[in-house]
Amino acid sequence: MKIKMNRLKRIKFKRVFTLLACIFVLVLSIRYVISERAQATVKKETEIFTDAKYPTVEMQTLIKDQTHGGYSVNYPTLQIKEIDQTLKAYVNEEIANYQQAIAQKKIPKETSTELTITYDITHYSEQTITILFNEYQFTGGKLGEPSIQTFTFDLPSQRLISLQDIFYENSDYLNSLSMIAFTELKKSKKLAESETLKAKTEPKLENFSQFSILGDTIVLYFQPFLGSNGYSKTQSIAIKKAVFDSILKDSYKNTKTNKNKIEEAPPIHIVTELPKPSGIDPTKKVIALTFDDGPSKEPTTLILDALKDSDSHATFFVLGSRVQYYPEIIQRMLEEGNEVGNHSWDHPQLTRLTEEQVKHQVWDTQAIIKKVSGYEPIHIRPPYGAINDSVHQCLGEMGVSLWNIDPEDWKLRNKDQIVQSVLSKVADGKIILMHDIYATSAEAAVEIIKQLKAQDYQLVTISELEEVKKQRQEAIPSKG
């Protein structure tokens, strides 16, 4: 009897346990179904805010708040029917393309995806408005894909326009834009080494479809490109409208109707003239003058004047700690075809520093140069020429540039002795080290420039010297 009772208890326990297990599974199933239905029925929520810069513009926000297939999209509305419809159609199409990509790739529902679209009104005047959209899309893989899209509208006609619309018919504006874009983008070491740079800057309208018309400049934008270290930043080039004065239509010139509704911050670096052909003959002698430790006011200005007068170029390896005091000199260096290099923040021996300290010396200097000029150096000269593997690893893709001729002008402080020391050692392809913080060095540089030109030397930047050496190497017949 006792055995029978125990058996009944065990059976009862099993039944209760089984019932509880079934209830638990049922609850989980119901929660899962509810969750799936909730995910499947998430609607894009629309919120309306006032644009931060332009109070008359409303910002529409579309949000689908879920991990898989979710998105966050912002776009402006101007209460101008044709324009608002164009912008709304663009964001809806991007959302549809994103959702289609998820479906086509058959991305599992537990995998995160992302679409983010933000915008910036880069210019808003009586004549034109430009909206720059920044998009980031991730639908699996290692990297998400950034992209940009600009819309420039002529407001009197409420019409979307291209660059073709702002220039006179049959004008050679595309060739001018191509020359400027190639010259400016090549200043980036990453882009200079890109096999697609020439193709992306060819004089074709599709290469210059992303643009903005500001008060007195035209800004070109170029899509981020994929390199070995991921995607680059969006590249932009600002060009003074005066460069195109004879071919730019009057309605888009620097007039009252093109004045921005709010105070417009001018681009840091503006191209003010068409690039001149380098005129460098690789079959003739070349030499690179370089100056360290600047910039300074009088010495650097004296050197720049001499370079300009002789149609010559040099490379200035500057200290970040000094750049902030002479931004206009950095801008002049670049505008006149010279090159700016990185010489650390305040001239320590980098090989004696920690990795963190080296990065501060290098990248803070890069940042201040870019801030005042829009340009990022592609060459660095470590103070005292001190370099090792640890320092190399902190330099990114910057090239290290040393020298062949050192007159020790910092020690001599005598114009004639410096001139004699340099001229006694000059030769084709050499790099001369001097300093643009001493008056005697600047005076010597003026005479050296004059003497080198008399000896038929072409005075070039470090980048130009590298290009000449590359051309010479390619011209050597291969042995087969």
Side-chain angles (χ1 to χ4, degrees), residues 79-87 153 157-159:
Q79 285 71 55
I80 301 174
K81 183 178 179 182
E82 291 79 3
I83 294 177
D84 292 346
Q85 286 177 343
T86 299
L87 300 178
F153 296 94
S157 64
Q158 300 180 15
R159 185 169 61 93

Side-chain angles (χ1 to χ4, degrees), residues 281-329:
D281 186 344
T283 65
K284 294 182 179 179
K285 295 185 296 184
V286 291
I287 198 163
L289 263 176
T290 66
F291 298 92
D292 289 5
D293 295 357
S296 63
K297 191 172 182 181
E298 284 81 9
T300 306
T301 299
L302 185 62
I303 294 168
L304 287 171
D305 290 343
L307 290 167
K308 184 177 181 180
D309 291 343
S310 63
D311 196 23
S312 299
H313 298 145
T315 302
F316 294 83
F317 289 97
V318 300
L319 296 176
S321 58
R322 297 182 66 86
V323 167
Q324 56 193 321
Y325 301 112
Y326 304 102
E328 70 288 346
I329 293 181

Side-chain angles (χ1 to χ4, degrees), residues 371-386:
K371 181 179 179 181
V372 304
S373 70
Y375 173 74
E376 287 185 278
I378 59 176
H379 292 99
I380 184 169
R381 174 168 288 166
Y384 314 104

Side-chain angles (χ1 to χ4, degrees), residues 290-293 303 405-415 417-419 421-422 432-445 448:
T290 66
F291 298 92
D292 289 5
D293 295 357
I303 294 168
I405 300 172
D406 181 5
E408 296 188 331
D409 57 316
W410 57 273
K411 182 165 63 176
L412 291 177
R413 304 287 184 93
N414 181 288
K415 171 193 168 183
Q417 290 179 21
I418 297 168
V419 171
S421 177
V422 170
I432 302 168
L433 165 64
M434 295 182 67
H435 299 80
D436 59 325
I437 54 173
Y438 308 114
T440 49
S441 296
E443 292 164 2
I448 289 167

Side-chain angles (χ1 to χ4, degrees), residues 30-42 66 109:
I30 293 171
R31 289 184 64 183
Y32 177 79
V33 169
I34 292 172
S35 175
E36 284 295 296
R37 286 181 177 176
Q39 291 285 334
T41 58
V42 169
Q66 62 185 57
K109 290 187 176 181

